[in-house]
Amino acid sequence: MPKPNNFMKLKAWRGRLHRPMLLLVIFAILMSIVTLSKFYCVRSLFPTDTFCNHMKPDSRNGTGSEVRITIQTVIQKIQLEMSTMRDMPTNSSSSASLSRYSAFLADILALIESTHASLPSSEDPYQHDSERSSLHTLSNEPADYFFIEEMRKYVRMKPNRLGKQNFMGANGTFTSIGHACFAVKKELEEYMDYDIGEICNDDWKLAQRLMIHGCDPLPRRRCFSRAPKLYSRPFPINESLWKLPDNRNVRWSQYRCKNFTCLASNSPGKGFFKCADCFNLLHHEIPRWIEQVNLLPNSNLTADFLIPKVLGIKPGEIRIGLDFSVGTGTFAARMREFNVTIVSAAINLGAPFNEMIALRGLVPLYLTINQRLPFFDNTLDMIHTTRFLDGWIDFVLLDFVLYDWDRVIRPGGLLWIDSFFCLKEDLDDYLEAFKILRYKKHKWVVVPKLDRDDREVFFSAVLEKPPRPFR
């Protein structure tokens, strides 16, 4: 019978047209909001405000461009979705269609929010032009690069709720990520794929790999970090400095060794090679920087300087500093005995270095070589580094690192280069990088590195930052 058949076809077409029509309605509302926002603002409803602040040409051009880009993105997404829905088979499950439709609406909603954030905020009409021009341009372009919604929400600029500059002089908060995060998009989206308010995945190793490869700083997350199942009370400070911590206070799932006894043993294959003996507190660590243990035969030369002699260069002046090394905090522990506070920068390369430093009662700083030091200019009395900046480092990178260290060391502060090693043929180039700082040389020594067939050398120095008058 033709009539029922036509009726069924009409009903099927109505079902297909329902969603595209709803999307067109949403798009029409969005266009209306954007159009009206060019001529009206909320403050103009009051008698004292007859014109919108953003109607001025200098503020309208940049914002209008961003609005046009966002609207064009909305148009493209709607057109693509309508084309996809037209091609969908009629026997698709309703649950799958609903899930796809909901995700699409969420994406559209995010774009609308982005457009709203990019519109000029309602400011005081009597605000000076110079203050208004100092505001940052609101832009959410990085958010469009990612697919995970939590990642998009994080990188999107967060405007102030009052629509004015905050006490820091910004009209919003710009949450940052490392520029290399865009090159590791897949891994970063895996890191940001979690349930809000739940326990985070056991993915600290993924996070550290992202940081090492330049995705530093990482975005914040809205989940609870995992902790050891049976965390015990740390040892008192008079015991913790030279005693292996309780094994229950570390998550061992991503390490080859599963306890501190394994880390302190002399067995090979512990999962790391830098500072292989630094968990052996009683035999390897306890004499370091206090006793001479690495004297060269027949010459009495050594690349190891002792703490009392270094502190004697500036008596009573060294109070706070940074140790940028691979280790378990022994340098900070020894300096503590001389009433000097040292922050230990470390990453967990094959072993829980940060946990070990903290459980000893010292301060760890989870930091890679990629990042600018989180200290203000001319604030530290000393920076010490050992067995980290070695012959692997690029000369240009070393320049950036040394200039950053110079930035945070105060005039009269000390830079302690401890056992820097490299190939003999590279020594002059590396020494030139240190000489370019024009620091005063208190100690400067180059000795052979005997475990590499006389092909490598150690370099150690204690240098003082000179005062630099303003020009």
Side-chain angles (χ1 to χ4, degrees), residues 418-466:
D418 191 351
S419 300
F420 178 100
F421 67 88
C422 64
L423 295 173
K424 281 185 176 180
E425 55 264 32
D426 294 333
L427 178 62
D428 290 340
D429 293 327
Y430 279 117
L431 293 185
E432 190 62 30
F434 292 102
K435 291 177 182 178
I436 203 171
L437 295 176
R438 301 172 185 172
Y439 278 21
K440 179 180 179 181
K441 297 178 183 178
H442 288 286
K443 292 180 179 292
W444 184 282
V445 63
V446 176
V447 298
K449 191 173 185 289
L450 299 180
D451 61 344
R452 291 291 182 176
D453 300 327
D454 201 32
R455 295 180 57 245
E456 294 182 340
V457 292
F458 276 127
F459 162 67
S460 292
V462 178
L463 310 173
E464 179 181 342
K465 177 179 176 178

Tab-separated table of all heavy atoms in Angstrom, residues 418-466:
chain	number	residue	atom	x	y	z
A	418	ASP	N	81.623	20.808	40.390
A	418	ASP	CA	82.201	19.684	41.121
A	418	ASP	C	82.316	18.475	40.185
A	418	ASP	O	81.320	17.860	39.812
A	418	ASP	CB	81.319	19.364	42.325
A	418	ASP	CG	81.966	18.396	43.303
A	418	ASP	OD1	83.025	17.843	42.964
A	418	ASP	OD2	81.403	18.201	44.390
A	419	SER	N	83.538	18.175	39.769
A	419	SER	CA	83.831	16.973	38.974
A	419	SER	C	83.061	16.931	37.661
A	419	SER	O	82.430	15.920	37.325
A	419	SER	CB	83.546	15.708	39.800
A	419	SER	OG	84.338	15.678	40.959
A	420	PHE	N	83.126	18.011	36.922
A	420	PHE	CA	82.609	18.034	35.548
A	420	PHE	C	83.581	17.231	34.687
A	420	PHE	O	84.781	17.495	34.685
A	420	PHE	CB	82.527	19.480	35.060
A	420	PHE	CG	82.054	19.654	33.651
A	420	PHE	CD1	80.745	19.998	33.386
A	420	PHE	CD2	82.924	19.481	32.576
A	420	PHE	CE1	80.301	20.170	32.080
A	420	PHE	CE2	82.501	19.653	31.277
A	420	PHE	CZ	81.183	19.990	31.022
A	421	PHE	N	83.073	16.237	33.940
A	421	PHE	CA	83.997	15.454	33.122
A	421	PHE	C	83.586	15.484	31.657
A	421	PHE	O	82.409	15.590	31.307
A	421	PHE	CB	84.115	14.011	33.621
A	421	PHE	CG	82.877	13.177	33.481
A	421	PHE	CD1	82.620	12.473	32.306
A	421	PHE	CD2	81.979	13.064	34.533
A	421	PHE	CE1	81.486	11.693	32.181
A	421	PHE	CE2	80.846	12.288	34.406
A	421	PHE	CZ	80.601	11.602	33.237
A	422	CYS	N	84.600	15.398	30.792
A	422	CYS	CA	84.373	15.426	29.347
A	422	CYS	C	85.597	14.827	28.663
A	422	CYS	O	86.612	14.527	29.302
A	422	CYS	CB	84.134	16.855	28.871
A	422	CYS	SG	85.551	17.955	29.101
A	423	LEU	N	85.519	14.669	27.338
A	423	LEU	CA	86.661	14.215	26.563
A	423	LEU	C	87.747	15.295	26.545
A	423	LEU	O	87.457	16.489	26.598
A	423	LEU	CB	86.235	13.895	25.138
A	423	LEU	CG	85.250	12.722	24.967
A	423	LEU	CD1	84.785	12.636	23.520
A	423	LEU	CD2	85.887	11.411	25.409
A	424	LYS	N	88.990	14.854	26.452
A	424	LYS	CA	90.098	15.807	26.452
A	424	LYS	C	89.989	16.821	25.321
A	424	LYS	O	90.267	18.007	25.500
A	424	LYS	CB	91.420	15.045	26.348
A	424	LYS	CG	91.898	14.418	27.644
A	424	LYS	CD	93.269	13.805	27.455
A	424	LYS	CE	93.808	13.258	28.776
A	424	LYS	NZ	95.169	12.651	28.606
A	425	GLU	N	89.567	16.341	24.149
A	425	GLU	CA	89.503	17.245	23.009
A	425	GLU	C	88.395	18.290	23.141
A	425	GLU	O	88.407	19.299	22.429
A	425	GLU	CB	89.328	16.468	21.705
A	425	GLU	CG	88.135	15.537	21.689
A	425	GLU	CD	88.510	14.108	22.054
A	425	GLU	OE1	89.453	13.927	22.868
A	425	GLU	OE2	87.870	13.181	21.527
A	426	ASP	N	87.427	18.066	24.040
A	426	ASP	CA	86.341	19.031	24.245
A	426	ASP	C	86.594	19.979	25.410
A	426	ASP	O	85.813	20.910	25.636
A	426	ASP	CB	85.015	18.299	24.486
A	426	ASP	CG	84.553	17.519	23.271
A	426	ASP	OD1	84.912	17.912	22.144
A	426	ASP	OD2	83.831	16.515	23.447
A	427	LEU	N	87.668	19.736	26.157
A	427	LEU	CA	87.870	20.467	27.408
A	427	LEU	C	87.961	21.972	27.189
A	427	LEU	O	87.318	22.755	27.889
A	427	LEU	CB	89.135	19.956	28.108
A	427	LEU	CG	89.507	20.676	29.411
A	427	LEU	CD1	88.410	20.505	30.454
A	427	LEU	CD2	90.848	20.170	29.944
A	428	ASP	N	88.750	22.405	26.211
A	428	ASP	CA	88.947	23.839	26.004
A	428	ASP	C	87.633	24.550	25.681
A	428	ASP	O	87.387	25.670	26.144
A	428	ASP	CB	89.956	24.075	24.880
A	428	ASP	CG	91.370	23.689	25.280
A	428	ASP	OD1	91.630	23.618	26.504
A	428	ASP	OD2	92.202	23.441	24.384
A	429	ASP	N	86.774	23.896	24.885
A	429	ASP	CA	85.484	24.518	24.541
A	429	ASP	C	84.590	24.641	25.772
A	429	ASP	O	83.914	25.666	25.953
A	429	ASP	CB	84.772	23.685	23.465
A	429	ASP	CG	85.511	23.726	22.135
A	429	ASP	OD1	86.117	24.770	21.831
A	429	ASP	OD2	85.482	22.713	21.415
A	430	TYR	N	84.589	23.618	26.618
A	430	TYR	CA	83.760	23.697	27.831
A	430	TYR	C	84.321	24.731	28.810
A	430	TYR	O	83.564	25.484	29.434
A	430	TYR	CB	83.675	22.324	28.501
A	430	TYR	CG	82.651	21.410	27.856
A	430	TYR	CD1	83.039	20.222	27.250
A	430	TYR	CD2	81.304	21.744	27.855
A	430	TYR	CE1	82.110	19.373	26.662
A	430	TYR	CE2	80.356	20.904	27.276
A	430	TYR	CZ	80.768	19.727	26.670
A	430	TYR	OH	79.831	18.910	26.084
A	431	LEU	N	85.638	24.766	28.948
A	431	LEU	CA	86.225	25.748	29.865
A	431	LEU	C	85.929	27.169	29.408
A	431	LEU	O	85.749	28.066	30.235
A	431	LEU	CB	87.743	25.528	29.968
A	431	LEU	CG	88.206	24.236	30.639
A	431	LEU	CD1	89.718	24.225	30.765
A	431	LEU	CD2	87.561	24.044	32.006
A	432	GLU	N	85.877	27.382	28.104
A	432	GLU	CA	85.570	28.711	27.586
A	432	GLU	C	84.165	29.146	28.003
A	432	GLU	O	83.923	30.334	28.254
A	432	GLU	CB	85.703	28.723	26.072
A	432	GLU	CG	85.651	30.102	25.450
A	432	GLU	CD	86.789	30.997	25.912
A	432	GLU	OE1	87.879	30.467	26.215
A	432	GLU	OE2	86.582	32.230	25.968
A	433	ALA	N	83.237	28.174	28.070
A	433	ALA	CA	81.876	28.502	28.490
A	433	ALA	C	81.842	29.005	29.924
A	433	ALA	O	81.065	29.910	30.261
A	433	ALA	CB	80.977	27.267	28.345
A	434	PHE	N	82.699	28.439	30.779
A	434	PHE	CA	82.752	28.904	32.169
A	434	PHE	C	83.513	30.228	32.284
A	434	PHE	O	83.165	31.087	33.102
A	434	PHE	CB	83.410	27.837	33.054
A	434	PHE	CG	82.588	26.581	33.208
A	434	PHE	CD1	82.896	25.441	32.485
A	434	PHE	CD2	81.499	26.543	34.053
A	434	PHE	CE1	82.151	24.294	32.613
A	434	PHE	CE2	80.732	25.405	34.195
A	434	PHE	CZ	81.059	24.264	33.467
A	435	LYS	N	84.540	30.390	31.468
A	435	LYS	CA	85.335	31.618	31.544
A	435	LYS	C	84.535	32.842	31.107
A	435	LYS	O	84.798	33.961	31.564
A	435	LYS	CB	86.590	31.488	30.674
A	435	LYS	CG	87.615	30.497	31.198
A	435	LYS	CD	88.792	30.379	30.234
A	435	LYS	CE	89.816	29.366	30.717
A	435	LYS	NZ	90.944	29.203	29.761
A	436	ILE	N	83.568	32.630	30.209
A	436	ILE	CA	82.831	33.773	29.668
A	436	ILE	C	81.993	34.470	30.741
A	436	ILE	O	81.596	35.632	30.582
A	436	ILE	CB	81.943	33.324	28.493
A	436	ILE	CG1	81.621	34.514	27.578
A	436	ILE	CG2	80.667	32.662	28.984
A	436	ILE	CD1	80.933	34.116	26.292
A	437	LEU	N	81.750	33.788	31.873
A	437	LEU	CA	81.022	34.413	32.981
A	437	LEU	C	81.857	35.497	33.667
A	437	LEU	O	81.308	36.348	34.364
A	437	LEU	CB	80.614	33.352	34.008
A	437	LEU	CG	79.617	32.286	33.543
A	437	LEU	CD1	79.392	31.256	34.643
A	437	LEU	CD2	78.291	32.920	33.150
A	438	ARG	N	83.187	35.424	33.505
A	438	ARG	CA	84.101	36.403	34.103
A	438	ARG	C	84.018	36.403	35.629
A	438	ARG	O	84.058	37.453	36.276
A	438	ARG	CB	83.841	37.806	33.550
A	438	ARG	CG	83.994	37.901	32.044
A	438	ARG	CD	83.552	39.234	31.496
A	438	ARG	NE	83.593	39.243	30.034
A	438	ARG	CZ	83.111	40.217	29.277
A	438	ARG	NH1	82.573	41.282	29.852
A	438	ARG	NH2	83.171	40.140	27.971
A	439	TYR	N	83.870	35.200	36.168
A	439	TYR	CA	83.853	35.048	37.629
A	439	TYR	C	85.287	35.029	38.170
A	439	TYR	O	86.237	34.664	37.471
A	439	TYR	CB	83.160	33.742	38.013
A	439	TYR	CG	81.638	33.797	38.032
A	439	TYR	CD1	80.943	34.768	37.324
A	439	TYR	CD2	80.905	32.869	38.767
A	439	TYR	CE1	79.562	34.799	37.337
A	439	TYR	CE2	79.531	32.906	38.783
A	439	TYR	CZ	78.860	33.868	38.069
A	439	TYR	OH	77.493	33.907	38.090
A	440	LYS	N	85.417	35.401	39.416
A	440	LYS	CA	86.709	35.310	40.105
A	440	LYS	C	87.006	33.859	40.435
A	440	LYS	O	86.157	33.144	40.970
A	440	LYS	CB	86.662	36.147	41.394
A	440	LYS	CG	87.959	36.100	42.189
A	440	LYS	CD	87.848	36.939	43.452
A	440	LYS	CE	89.129	36.886	44.263
A	440	LYS	NZ	89.012	37.698	45.522
A	441	LYS	N	88.207	33.400	40.112
A	441	LYS	CA	88.586	32.002	40.339
A	441	LYS	C	89.184	31.842	41.738
A	441	LYS	O	90.259	32.380	42.025
A	441	LYS	CB	89.606	31.548	39.292
A	441	LYS	CG	89.097	31.570	37.855
A	441	LYS	CD	90.216	31.148	36.894
A	441	LYS	CE	89.771	31.237	35.448
A	441	LYS	NZ	90.868	30.882	34.502
A	442	HIS	N	88.492	31.076	42.584
A	442	HIS	CA	89.053	30.727	43.893
A	442	HIS	C	89.727	29.367	43.845
A	442	HIS	O	90.760	29.151	44.480
A	442	HIS	CB	87.948	30.721	44.958
A	442	HIS	CG	87.458	32.089	45.321
A	442	HIS	ND1	88.184	32.952	46.092
A	442	HIS	CD2	86.313	32.735	44.995
A	442	HIS	CE1	87.514	34.093	46.246
A	442	HIS	NE2	86.373	33.983	45.591
A	443	LYS	N	89.118	28.437	43.104
A	443	LYS	CA	89.700	27.107	42.895
A	443	LYS	C	89.457	26.717	41.444
A	443	LYS	O	88.385	26.974	40.889
A	443	LYS	CB	89.081	26.065	43.842
A	443	LYS	CG	89.422	26.274	45.311
A	443	LYS	CD	88.770	25.206	46.177
A	443	LYS	CE	89.130	25.378	47.649
A	443	LYS	NZ	90.564	25.096	47.907
A	444	TRP	N	90.463	26.067	40.836
A	444	TRP	CA	90.360	25.711	39.411
A	444	TRP	C	91.349	24.573	39.167
A	444	TRP	O	92.563	24.772	39.260
A	444	TRP	CB	90.694	26.921	38.557
A	444	TRP	CG	90.536	26.738	37.072
A	444	TRP	CD1	91.397	26.106	36.223
A	444	TRP	CD2	89.459	27.205	36.260
A	444	TRP	NE1	90.934	26.148	34.933
A	444	TRP	CE2	89.744	26.827	34.919
A	444	TRP	CE3	88.292	27.916	36.511
A	444	TRP	CZ2	88.906	27.133	33.851
A	444	TRP	CZ3	87.463	28.232	35.446
A	444	TRP	CH2	87.747	27.845	34.137
A	445	VAL	N	90.827	23.378	38.854
A	445	VAL	CA	91.709	22.229	38.700
A	445	VAL	C	91.177	21.305	37.616
A	445	VAL	O	89.965	21.138	37.470
A	445	VAL	CB	91.865	21.466	40.039
A	445	VAL	CG1	90.545	20.887	40.502
A	445	VAL	CG2	92.917	20.360	39.929
A	446	VAL	N	92.109	20.725	36.836
A	446	VAL	CA	91.789	19.710	35.826
A	446	VAL	C	92.665	18.495	36.114
A	446	VAL	O	93.904	18.619	36.196
A	446	VAL	CB	92.057	20.230	34.396
A	446	VAL	CG1	91.805	19.123	33.383
A	446	VAL	CG2	91.188	21.443	34.095
A	447	VAL	N	92.023	17.328	36.280
A	447	VAL	CA	92.755	16.100	36.592
A	447	VAL	C	92.274	14.993	35.672
A	447	VAL	O	91.136	15.014	35.181
A	447	VAL	CB	92.561	15.684	38.068
A	447	VAL	CG1	93.108	16.766	38.994
A	447	VAL	CG2	91.112	15.399	38.366
A	448	PRO	N	93.088	13.974	35.412
A	448	PRO	CA	92.666	12.860	34.563
A	448	PRO	C	91.543	12.045	35.212
A	448	PRO	O	91.471	11.923	36.435
A	448	PRO	CB	93.941	12.021	34.413
A	448	PRO	CG	95.059	12.919	34.807
A	448	PRO	CD	94.501	13.876	35.806
A	449	LYS	N	90.711	11.482	34.372
A	449	LYS	CA	89.665	10.543	34.810
A	449	LYS	C	90.174	9.144	34.493
A	449	LYS	O	90.197	8.717	33.330
A	449	LYS	CB	88.341	10.839	34.097
A	449	LYS	CG	87.127	10.125	34.652
A	449	LYS	CD	85.867	10.644	33.971
A	449	LYS	CE	84.607	10.041	34.576
A	449	LYS	NZ	84.474	8.612	34.222
A	450	LEU	N	90.567	8.419	35.534
A	450	LEU	CA	91.374	7.222	35.338
A	450	LEU	C	90.594	6.011	34.847
A	450	LEU	O	91.197	5.036	34.428
A	450	LEU	CB	92.085	6.867	36.657
A	450	LEU	CG	93.037	7.943	37.191
A	450	LEU	CD1	93.672	7.481	38.484
A	450	LEU	CD2	94.098	8.291	36.164
A	451	ASP	N	89.263	6.044	34.896
A	451	ASP	CA	88.503	4.857	34.507
A	451	ASP	C	88.135	4.855	33.029
A	451	ASP	O	87.338	4.024	32.596
A	451	ASP	CB	87.236	4.750	35.357
A	451	ASP	CG	86.312	5.937	35.177
A	451	ASP	OD1	86.770	6.961	34.640
A	451	ASP	OD2	85.134	5.850	35.572
A	452	ARG	N	88.672	5.757	32.214
A	452	ARG	CA	88.305	5.845	30.802
A	452	ARG	C	89.548	5.862	29.897
A	452	ARG	O	89.587	6.572	28.899
A	452	ARG	CB	87.482	7.121	30.558
A	452	ARG	CG	86.099	7.087	31.174
A	452	ARG	CD	85.218	6.082	30.453
A	452	ARG	NE	83.875	6.051	30.997
A	452	ARG	CZ	82.888	5.315	30.488
A	452	ARG	NH1	83.124	4.562	29.439
A	452	ARG	NH2	81.695	5.328	31.033
A	453	ASP	N	90.560	5.095	30.242
A	453	ASP	CA	91.747	4.950	29.400
A	453	ASP	C	92.399	6.296	29.079
A	453	ASP	O	92.881	6.525	27.967
A	453	ASP	CB	91.412	4.220	28.098
A	453	ASP	CG	90.861	2.825	28.344
A	453	ASP	OD1	91.298	2.197	29.328
A	453	ASP	OD2	90.002	2.379	27.567
A	454	ASP	N	92.355	7.197	30.042
A	454	ASP	CA	93.004	8.502	29.903
A	454	ASP	C	92.425	9.334	28.760
A	454	ASP	O	93.078	10.239	28.245
A	454	ASP	CB	94.511	8.309	29.694
A	454	ASP	CG	95.299	9.566	30.055
A	454	ASP	OD1	94.854	10.282	30.971
A	454	ASP	OD2	96.319	9.820	29.417
A	455	ARG	N	91.192	9.048	28.354
A	455	ARG	CA	90.551	9.821	27.287
A	455	ARG	C	89.701	10.960	27.840
A	455	ARG	O	89.324	11.859	27.098
A	455	ARG	CB	89.674	8.915	26.417
A	455	ARG	CG	90.442	7.858	25.656
A	455	ARG	CD	89.535	6.975	24.812
A	455	ARG	NE	88.753	7.768	23.867
A	455	ARG	CZ	87.421	7.885	23.912
A	455	ARG	NH1	86.734	7.269	24.861
A	455	ARG	NH2	86.790	8.603	23.000
A	456	GLU	N	89.356	10.893	29.126
A	456	GLU	CA	88.497	11.898	29.748
A	456	GLU	C	89.222	12.566	30.908
A	456	GLU	O	90.173	12.015	31.480
A	456	GLU	CB	87.189	11.269	30.234
A	456	GLU	CG	86.298	10.753	29.108
A	456	GLU	CD	84.980	10.184	29.625
A	456	GLU	OE1	84.917	9.848	30.820
A	456	GLU	OE2	84.035	10.087	28.826
A	457	VAL	N	88.716	13.747	31.264
A	457	VAL	CA	89.298	14.503	32.374
A	457	VAL	C	88.179	15.029	33.265
A	457	VAL	O	87.028	15.188	32.846
A	457	VAL	CB	90.150	15.688	31.865
A	457	VAL	CG1	91.392	15.186	31.160
A	457	VAL	CG2	89.332	16.589	30.962
A	458	PHE	N	88.549	15.294	34.518
A	458	PHE	CA	87.672	15.967	35.472
A	458	PHE	C	88.060	17.443	35.536
A	458	PHE	O	89.249	17.790	35.502
A	458	PHE	CB	87.807	15.371	36.871
A	458	PHE	CG	86.982	14.142	37.117
A	458	PHE	CD1	87.569	12.986	37.597
A	458	PHE	CD2	85.616	14.153	36.876
A	458	PHE	CE1	86.808	11.858	37.841
A	458	PHE	CE2	84.852	13.026	37.107
A	458	PHE	CZ	85.452	11.882	37.590
A	459	PHE	N	87.031	18.283	35.667
A	459	PHE	CA	87.259	19.721	35.897
A	459	PHE	C	86.427	20.142	37.095
A	459	PHE	O	85.226	19.877	37.166
A	459	PHE	CB	86.864	20.525	34.660
A	459	PHE	CG	86.652	21.989	34.932
A	459	PHE	CD1	87.717	22.793	35.290
A	459	PHE	CD2	85.385	22.561	34.837
A	459	PHE	CE1	87.530	24.148	35.546
A	459	PHE	CE2	85.190	23.900	35.084
A	459	PHE	CZ	86.261	24.696	35.438
A	460	SER	N	87.044	20.804	38.053
A	460	SER	CA	86.345	21.333	39.223
A	460	SER	C	86.784	22.776	39.452
A	460	SER	O	87.946	23.141	39.176
A	460	SER	CB	86.639	20.501	40.476
A	460	SER	OG	86.068	19.209	40.373
A	461	ALA	N	85.870	23.580	39.947
A	461	ALA	CA	86.182	24.993	40.185
A	461	ALA	C	85.226	25.570	41.217
A	461	ALA	O	84.084	25.110	41.351
A	461	ALA	CB	86.102	25.792	38.886
A	462	VAL	N	85.668	26.555	41.945
A	462	VAL	CA	84.827	27.382	42.802
A	462	VAL	C	85.005	28.812	42.323
A	462	VAL	O	86.120	29.370	42.388
A	462	VAL	CB	85.193	27.257	44.290
A	462	VAL	CG1	84.318	28.182	45.123
A	462	VAL	CG2	85.048	25.818	44.756
A	463	LEU	N	83.925	29.410	41.836
A	463	LEU	CA	83.967	30.718	41.188
A	463	LEU	C	83.048	31.691	41.921
A	463	LEU	O	81.993	31.297	42.420
A	463	LEU	CB	83.534	30.591	39.728
A	463	LEU	CG	84.221	29.486	38.905
A	463	LEU	CD1	83.574	29.357	37.539
A	463	LEU	CD2	85.714	29.764	38.777
A	464	GLU	N	83.437	32.942	41.959
A	464	GLU	CA	82.660	33.973	42.660
A	464	GLU	C	82.086	34.965	41.652
A	464	GLU	O	82.805	35.510	40.818
A	464	GLU	CB	83.533	34.713	43.671
A	464	GLU	CG	82.790	35.808	44.424
A	464	GLU	CD	83.673	36.551	45.406
A	464	GLU	OE1	84.756	36.002	45.762
A	464	GLU	OE2	83.295	37.680	45.812
A	465	LYS	N	80.788	35.204	41.765
A	465	LYS	CA	80.133	36.158	40.872
A	465	LYS	C	80.545	37.575	41.233
A	465	LYS	O	80.429	37.999	42.375
A	465	LYS	CB	78.608	36.013	40.965
A	465	LYS	CG	77.842	37.007	40.115
A	465	LYS	CD	76.339	36.802	40.220
A	465	LYS	CE	75.579	37.852	39.437
A	465	LYS	NZ	74.105	37.638	39.480
A	466	PRO	N	81.004	38.342	40.252
A	466	PRO	CA	81.436	39.717	40.550
A	466	PRO	C	80.237	40.668	40.608
A	466	PRO	O	79.184	40.397	40.032
A	466	PRO	CB	82.335	40.045	39.344
A	466	PRO	CG	81.717	39.267	38.215
A	466	PRO	CD	81.213	37.973	38.846
